[in-house]
Amino acid sequence: MTHHPPTDGPLTGIRVLDLATLFAGPLCATMLGDFGAEVVKVEHPRRPDPSRGHGPAKDGVGLWWKLLGRNKRNITLDLSTPGGRDVLLRLAADADVVIENFRPGTLERWGLGWDALSAANPRLVLARVTGFGQFGPSARRPGFGTLAEAMSGFAAITGEPDGPPTLPPFGLADSIAALASSYAVMAALRGRDLTGRGQVVDMAIIEPILTVLGPHPVWYDQLGYVQERTGNRSTNNAPRNTYRTGDGRWVAVSTSAQSIAERVMHLVGRPELIDAEWFASGSGRAAHADELDEAVGDWIAARTRDEVLRAFEKAEAAIAPVHDIRDVMADEQYAALDSIVELPDPELGSVKMQNVLFRLSGTPGAIRWTGRPHGADTDEVLGALGLTGTEIGALREAGAV
């Protein structure tokens, strides 16, 4: 569907300075911008955000950046220089949020720590998004989402039982941390409404992914229980797996609810299993996953994917096709939700990408533009601060912009 930007979003009037790179901090800023915040992306004059060079490119244009940089104006500043520091403080004086992900102590070394920023603007919220947080024995170590996926326990429970721990092939921990950071920023802004003063958000990427893993700490604390790798199966219910159809496609089945499990057994012609004593609980079914998987898998393998999906839908049993991105782009439900939008782009002509994260009935978000070229808005943004062309030229000559 062609993109049609709506009117102002609910965060209109909130000004955000995005100093972060790769990927949690910038994605947090993207999410704020999607709902109306005015985001200024600050990049180094000679070392652009590395996401501009991550993944495939078209005609030399990095495609990941088109997504990550959307709804942001782009300026360049070398924050380690006196000129860059002074400009940043002037920008911060009129901002609501600063997002950064430098190693702890870096901003302080440049004279841009919390003391300096809050002196320039007592209402400012500073979101510090780092691998391990601002204190503790690992705080100053290089930190990436991959390390969080390993340290959190995620990798240890992901993969086949006889295989190695498995890492996701995308930025899972970073994306979860971005979601958490955008929530944290909104909570801090609400706190500012109550107190009149800003505050620091200390977001460690290793923590949000630990939270979404659920009750693992409680299980271990109370029972000494350590979940092992189970592949696509669950220790809480069965049948729960991916199954190959007769035409070589894949589907995923879930039976978290008892009623759904019973419907599936009726559908695949094994209603007698429902009468087994162990079938009455999710854990009991999980203990008999081999038998249940055989019953479901054999039935699915004898039919095409479309036949399987229609039969499950008629039976009101939970199933989904296993999509690759080609399937996602053609899926009728995603199309109905307008989950993928087509946007004009001055470098690519047009580009399709994910829409904003959720729908609001009264003040919806919008993608106003895609990721812009490096430093495209430097002169405009600095000019709005009151800097003259001569002053901007001097900063550029000194390497500060």
Side-chain angles (χ1 to χ4, degrees), residues 122-303:
R123 292 175 54 82
L124 186 70
V125 170
L126 173 62
R128 316 194 79 165
V129 186
T130 59
F132 305 104
Q134 294 297 306
F135 56 91
S138 298
R140 293 180 180 270
R141 289 171 49 200
F144 296 100
T146 297
L147 308 187
E149 290 146 11
M151 287 182 61
S152 63
F154 171 85
I157 64 170
T158 304
E160 295 299 324
D162 57 351
T166 301
L167 296 167
F170 65 100
L172 177 63
D174 277 307
S175 298
I176 296 171
L179 287 163
S181 297
S182 59
Y183 165 58
V185 166
M186 296 308 300
L189 288 172
R190 174 56 178 158
R192 185 185 70 176
D193 292 342
L194 299 174
T195 67
R197 294 192 62 84
Q199 59 186 299
V200 176
V201 172
D202 180 3
M203 177 62 67
I205 296 173
I206 60 173
E207 290 185 301
I209 190 171
L210 176 63
T211 295
V212 301
L213 285 177
H216 287 220
V218 180
W219 287 343
Y220 181 74
D221 173 63
Q222 296 295 307
L223 302 172
Y225 173 72
V226 178
Q227 182 172 327
E228 303 294 336
R229 291 187 290 284
T230 58
N232 290 323
R233 288 179 172 177
S234 169
T235 57
N236 302 312
N237 65 81
R240 190 263 198 182
N241 214 327
T242 57
Y243 305 92
R244 191 167 188 172
T245 63
D247 55 351
R249 310 295 291 275
W250 290 87
V251 294
V253 172
S254 177
T255 58
S256 296
Q258 181 71 22
S259 60
I260 298 294
E262 293 176 4
R263 291 173 196 166
V264 170
M265 289 303 104
H266 281 292
L267 175 62
V268 303
R270 297 296 302 276
E272 76 280 2
L273 294 175
I274 299 172
D275 297 327
E277 183 178 351
W278 50 263
F279 196 91
S281 69
S283 58
R285 297 197 308 275
H288 291 77
D290 286 344
E291 186 175 359
L292 294 171
D293 272 347
E294 182 180 6
V296 175
D298 288 350
W299 187 90
I300 287 176
R303 292 159 176 81

Side-chain angles (χ1 to χ4, degrees), residues 48-74:
D49 189 312
S51 65
R52 290 182 181 273
H54 264 58
K58 181 180 180 181
D59 299 329
V61 178
L63 299 180
W64 200 333
W65 173 253
K66 291 298 178 181
L67 173 69
L68 193 63
R70 72 190 193 190
N71 290 337
K72 300 178 183 180
R73 292 191 291 167
N74 287 83

Side-chain angles (χ1 to χ4, degrees), residues 331-350:
D331 185 274
E332 292 180 351
Q333 182 60 30
Y334 280 125
L337 295 174
D338 206 14
S339 302
I340 303 294
V341 291
E342 184 173 1
L343 306 159
D345 182 86
E347 295 177 291
L348 300 174
S350 68

